Amino acid sequence: MESHYMQGLDWLILGIYFAVLIAIGIWASTKRKKGGALFLAEHSLRWHHIGFSMWGTNVGPSMLIASASAGFTTGIVSGNYAWYAFVFIALLAFVFAPRYLGAKVHTLPEFMGLRFGQSTRNILAWYTIVTIVISWLALTLFAGGILIRQVFDIPMWTSALVLLFISAFFSMLGGLKAVAYTNVYQMILLIVVSLVLVIVGLDRVGGISALIDKVPSDYWVMFKPNSDEAFPWLPIILGYPVMGVWFWCTDQSMVQPVLAAKDLREGQLGTNFTGWLKILDVALYIVPGVICFALFGDTLNNPDEAYLTMVENLFPVGMVGLVFAVLTACLVSTIGSALNALSTVFTMDIYVKRFNPNASQRRINYVGRIVTVIGAAIAIVLTVAIDSIKGLNLFNVFQSVLGFIAPPMAAVFVLGIFWRKTTMRAANFALTIGTAFCLIVGVLYLWPPEWLQFPWPHFMLLSFELFVILAVAMVIISLTDKDKTQYEIPAPIHEGWSKLAVGLWTALAIVMISLYVYFN
C-alpha cells in the first residue's frame, strides 16, 4: 500500500495509534460484567464518557473536510451548525433525558411505545434502523472511503471493509462501554492534533491580526443577510431547530450515551460537556479553512482540498501519520456508535419484544453481535452502490438526509411530549405518510424535473415548512380521532438534578450568547 502523503515514520505512528486503540478497547471490555448487557454499558457512563461519545459520534472526516471547505469559501458562518446546537443539547438535558431515564428504556422507539403504543414502537424501530444504516453507516463510510481512497489508493469496498471491521470489533467485544472508552482517547487526540494545525497555520500567516487582514471582513460574521444563497439568517433560525431536535434529542445514535448514564446528574453534566466541546468546532475545524484561504487562496482551486492542503504543507513527517490517525478515529467513533445503536434497536425493539420476550441476557448479546455483522455487511453494499452513482454531490446528500428525514421525527417527539392530546394515529401518520411526503419533496428538491424548475426556498426553510405541515396535520388528526385511547406521557425523574449542572448550563448559555454578539 503506497501513499504520497505517508512516509515511514507516518506509518509507524499510525500503527501505534491502532495498537493503543485496540488495547483500550480490550481493557474497556474487561470492565464489563461477565454476562452483562452490551447496549447501555450497565448504566455506568460518567459525564466525560457521555460528552466525548456524543461529540465523537457527531464528528466525522466528512465534517472535518466540509468544515474546512466552508471556512475557505465563506468564513465562520457555517459554525452556526455547531454553536446553535447548544440550545437543543440543553433541551435534551432538561426535557428529554429526565423522561428517557425515568422510563428506564433501552431505545427511543421503546420510549415512544410507552407514549403511543406498540404499533408506533414497531414503526419507529424500523424507521430508526433504516436511518442508521443509510445516514450514519453508508454515508459516513462513503465519505470516509473517499478520503482513504484518496490517501492510500485502495478501492471503496476495501476502505469500507477495513473501517467497519475496526468499528465492529469494539461494538461486538465490549458494547457501548468499549465504544465510549475508546471515544475519550480518540477525541482527546483529535483536539490535540487539530489545535496544533491551527497554531502552526496561525504562525505561518503571521498571527491572528494578520489572518484578519488577509481574508474578507464578512468571514467573521455568524449571521448573513437573507439574500445570501448559502447561509441566510432566517432559514438557519427557523430550520435548524427542526434538525436540532431530531439530531440531538431523538436520534438513537446520539442519545444512547445519555441513556447509559450512571444517573440523571451524569447525563446532564455529560450533555453540558458536549455543549462546551461544540464551541471548539469553529476553532478546530472551520478556522483551518480560513487560514488555508489566507495562505493558499490564490493557488487552491478546489475548496474541498483545504484540509489536506494544510496538512501536506504545514506538518512535518510523522505528524501527517497522526492526522490520518485522527481522521480514522473520527470514522471509527461515528461508525462504532451507529453499529451499537443499530444492534440495540433491532435486538430490543424487534427481536426481544416481538419474537423472544423471555430471552436470556446471553442470548440478547449474541443476537446483538449477529445484527452488528449483518448491519455492517448491508452498509458495505450501500456504500459501494452510492459510490457507483456518477455526479453525486455528497454535500447535497447529507443536506437531504438531515433536512428531509428530520421533520417527521421532530414533530412526533415534540407533540408527543408537549401535547397530551396527541394520538397514536397522528404519530403513525407522521412517521409513515409524513416521511414518504418529506422524502418525495427531498428528491424533487435535489433532482427537480423540468416541470418543477422554479426557485425553491432554502433547504433549511423547506425543512421548517415540512415540520409545520406535519405538526398541523397531527393536530387535526388528533382532534378528529375517534379512538380516544389515552397513553400517558412518561413522567420525568427529578432525582439527580444538581445545582452544578444548572450552573454549568447557565454559564454555557452566557458564553454562547456572548460569542454570537461578538461575531455579529
Side-chain angles (χ1 to χ4, degrees), residues 3 14 38 63 65 150 169 187 222 233 296 306 328 397 423-425 429 449 460-461 475 496:
S3 168
L14 194 59
L38 286 173
M63 178 178 170
I65 292 169
Q150 182 179 349
F169 171 78
M187 292 306 104
M222 293 297 290
W233 69 269
F296 310 107
T328 308
V397 171
T423 65
M424 175 188 68
R425 186 168 283 118
F429 169 85
M460 292 188 79
L461 189 59
V475 169

Side-chain angles (χ1 to χ4, degrees), residues 403-478:
F404 302 113
I405 286 183
M409 286 281 279
V412 169
F413 274 80
V414 168
L415 267 70
I417 285 181
F418 291 104
W419 192 42
R420 188 173 298 277
K421 292 183 179 180
T422 310
T423 65
M424 175 188 68
R425 186 168 283 118
N428 292 354
F429 169 85
L431 291 173
T432 53
I433 306 300
T435 298
F437 172 66
C438 290
L439 291 178
I440 290 171
V441 172
V443 170
L444 294 175
Y445 173 84
L446 287 170
W447 299 283
E450 291 186 8
W451 53 274
L452 269 181
Q453 298 290 342
F454 63 88
W456 285 78
H458 190 277
F459 83 96
M460 292 188 79
L461 189 59
L462 190 56
S463 182
F464 171 74
E465 291 167 350
L466 290 171
F467 170 81
V468 171
I469 291 170
L470 291 182
V472 170
M474 287 180 66
V475 169
I476 293 172
I477 292 171
S478 297

Side-chain angles (χ1 to χ4, degrees), residues 93-371:
F94 293 107
V95 176
F96 289 91
R99 287 173 167 80
Y100 294 157
L101 294 175
K104 294 182 169 62
V105 294
H106 286 79
T107 70
L108 301 188
E110 183 182 357
F111 177 83
M112 275 296 142
L114 297 175
R115 173 65 179 90
F116 291 119
Q118 185 59 38
S119 64
T120 303
R121 180 178 180 178
N122 293 339
I123 295 169
L124 195 54
W126 285 110
Y127 183 104
T128 303
I129 288 169
V130 171
T131 301
I132 291 173
V133 170
I134 294 175
S135 64
W136 282 108
L137 290 176
L139 288 177
T140 301
L141 281 170
F142 174 66
I146 288 176
L147 177 71
I148 290 178
R149 181 170 60 186
Q150 182 179 349
V151 175
F152 301 120
D153 194 27
I154 58 178
M156 176 65 75
W157 70 268
T158 308
S159 304
L161 187 63
V162 170
L163 292 168
L164 275 170
F165 177 80
I166 298 168
S167 305
F169 171 78
F170 297 118
S171 185
M172 294 170 66
L173 182 71
L176 183 60
K177 181 170 283 191
V179 172
Y181 277 54
T182 53
N183 276 349
V184 173
Y185 157 66
Q186 297 186 111
M187 292 306 104
I188 290 175
L189 183 64
L190 170 65
I191 291 172
V192 170
V193 173
S194 299
L195 184 60
V196 170
L197 182 63
V198 172
I199 292 173
V200 173
L202 282 174
D203 181 67
R204 180 73 65 88
V205 171
I208 295 176
S209 58
L211 176 63
I212 293 173
D213 293 337
K214 290 182 180 181
V215 300
S217 59
D218 67 349
Y219 267 42
W220 305 107
V221 297
M222 293 297 290
F223 285 134
K224 296 202 172 185
N226 271 331
S227 57
D228 186 84
E229 290 187 7
F231 297 100
W233 69 269
L234 185 61
I236 290 175
I237 292 292
L238 295 177
Y240 186 88
V242 179
M243 288 188 250
V245 169
W246 168 69
F247 188 79
W248 292 106
C249 303
T250 74
D251 183 88
Q252 181 74 26
S253 298
M254 288 304 307
V255 175
Q256 188 144 328
V258 178
L259 299 180
K262 186 178 180 180
D263 51 37
L264 178 60
R265 178 180 183 273
E266 295 293 334
Q268 291 179 333
L269 290 175
T271 50
N272 177 260
F273 186 39
T274 303
W276 289 105
L277 288 171
K278 290 300 290 178
I279 296 178
L280 299 178
D281 285 13
V282 172
L284 298 182
Y285 309 149
I286 297 174
V287 169
V290 179
I291 295 173
C292 185
F293 179 84
L295 291 174
F296 310 107
D298 296 333
T299 58
L300 187 64
N301 295 320
N302 184 2
D304 291 340
E305 297 175 359
Y307 188 85
L308 290 180
T309 298
M310 290 280 287
V311 170
E312 196 173 12
N313 286 278
L314 300 184
F315 275 176
V317 172
M319 279 299 290
V320 176
L322 203 55
V323 169
F324 288 116
V326 163
L327 294 174
T328 308
C330 295
L331 279 163
V332 171
S333 177
T334 301
I335 296 167
S337 300
L339 285 173
N340 191 262
L342 175 70
S343 62
T344 304
V345 172
F346 185 90
T347 305
M348 302 308 297
D349 289 308
I350 295 174
Y351 174 73
V352 173
K353 183 64 179 178
R354 299 192 65 185
F355 298 108
N356 193 356
N358 300 316
S360 65
Q361 189 60 61
R362 183 177 180 182
R363 181 68 180 176
I364 290 171
N365 288 348
Y366 172 77
V367 172
R369 291 187 174 106
I370 294 297
V371 171

